[in-house]
Amino acid sequence: MGSPGLATLLGSVRYEVLPARATEDKVLAHVPRDVVVTVTASPVKGLEPTLDLAARLSAHGYRVVPHVPARLLRGEVHLKEVVDRLREAGVDDVFLPAGDADPPAGPYTGALPVLRTLGELGAPFARVGVTGYPESHPLIHDDVTVQAMWDKREHATYIVSNLCFDARVLGEWIARIRGRGVALPLHVGVAGPVQRAKLLAMATKIGVGESTRFLTWHPAWFLRFAAPGGYAPERLLTRAGAALTAPSAGVAGLHLFTFNQIAETEAWRRALLERLAG
């Protein structure tokens, strides 16, 4: 990837954070206000920590995207309560994965019924994101995940891809969904420059977020990611450059999984932008 293409992607980023005790202070200390912050949700902790942190960050002037997994919603009344709370906090963008709560808290087992209900409620959010899976989902066949994106295209406004560490796989997946007529803007999910020891500690905390559970589902990728010298985000971006910057790809920016190493992620981004500018 040429410097301009990579710089453009790095200038349009989203930081995924986990709603832990110190997250608010870390975001305030290290994340510029023009960076979108997405807040994960956990089947263990429920939606409350996510909604609370999203409201507080929004009050600080951030554009915040809370994750609202379908399987954590107790029903339509609960969904309406969540909508009202987020709109009151000034949130106009939500990310709607299916989630992993088993059993689900209510009648929703996937995102599509929630998307349809939001439409019936008057489409209260300007932007609504759904999940894409470049790597195979451990519970859902690839054809089903692509079909699901097609089914959601009339209700969602963008796609966020889950973690992928293989430039070839990522490029082939983008070509595949575009070939199927899924034209929603894509935010490509990329793991940030996570320290190996911190990643190992984070990944053992089951339920802290879809990104870490994804690693536990893909042990080969986890080992590659955690091995010394085994992963560098700029190397992945460079190798995937042609696929990410092609006009037909429709890539709107990067979705960086920080694993709450927020300071390290922003320092890496700024340093890379400076090198590209020089």
Side-chain angles (χ1 to χ4, degrees):
M1 183 190 302
S3 295
L6 180 52
T8 298
L9 290 178
L10 289 167
S12 181
V13 298
R14 298 154 54 100
Y15 284 172
E16 179 178 296
V17 303
L18 313 172
R21 183 176 303 172
T23 303
E24 181 180 4
D25 290 339
K26 289 182 178 181
V27 171
L28 290 173
H30 303 290
V31 180
R33 293 301 194 280
D34 62 346
V35 170
V36 176
V37 180
T38 82
V39 184
T40 66
S42 160
V44 174
K45 297 181 180 179
L47 272 176
E48 183 59 32
T50 300
L51 301 177
D52 180 60
L53 179 58
R56 286 187 279 123
L57 291 176
S58 180
H60 286 302
Y62 287 96
R63 182 176 151 203
V64 185
V65 184
H67 294 210
V68 183
R71 297 172 72 93
L72 286 182
L73 293 166
R74 298 188 297 273
E76 187 171 336
V77 172
H78 185 206
L79 174 58
K80 290 179 180 178
E81 293 172 352
V82 170
V83 168
D84 291 343
R85 183 170 173 181
L86 292 175
R87 293 301 297 144
E88 184 177 350
V91 173
D92 68 353
D93 188 344
V94 295
F95 178 60
L96 289 175
D100 302 317
D102 188 18
Y108 303 120
T109 58
L112 185 57
V114 179
L115 291 166
R116 288 171 173 159
T117 302
L118 287 177
E120 295 168 0
L121 294 175
F125 301 106
R127 290 169 52 83
V128 179
V130 294
T131 310
Y133 295 96
E135 297 290 343
S136 297
H137 190 288
L139 304 177
I140 310 173
H141 191 276
D142 288 350
D143 289 340
V144 176
T145 63
V146 175
Q147 180 65 43
M149 283 184 286
W150 171 260
D151 293 339
K152 297 169 187 174
R153 74 195 187 285
E154 295 181 356
H155 308 279
T157 62
Y158 64 92
I159 298 167
V160 177
S161 70
N162 213 320
L163 285 169
C164 181
F165 301 104
D166 189 312
R168 178 188 57 80
V169 170
L170 180 58
E172 290 176 351
W173 175 77
I174 292 174
R176 183 181 180 197
I177 64 171
R178 296 317 188 200
R180 283 288 301 275
V182 178
L184 295 175
L186 173 63
H187 295 267
V188 174
V190 176
V194 184
Q195 296 177 16
R196 184 164 59 116
K198 290 186 178 180
L199 173 64
L200 291 169
M202 184 65 71
T204 60
K205 299 179 181 178
I206 300 301
V208 297
E210 290 194 342
S211 50
T212 49
R213 285 195 297 280
F214 183 86
L215 288 175
T216 66
W217 289 334
H218 295 77
W221 287 120
F222 179 84
L223 291 174
R224 178 173 175 178
F225 186 44
Y231 171 75
E234 58 267 33
R235 186 163 61 241
L236 173 64
L237 293 173
T238 299
R239 291 173 176 171
L244 299 182
T245 57
S248 60
V251 175
L254 301 179
H255 180 98
L256 292 175
F257 295 86
T258 70
F259 299 95
N260 270 20
Q261 295 190 46
I262 297 166
E264 295 88 342
T265 301
E266 177 61 10
W268 166 81
R269 184 179 77 102
R270 290 186 182 182
L272 186 52
L273 281 169
E274 289 176 3
R275 291 203 301 271
L276 292 171

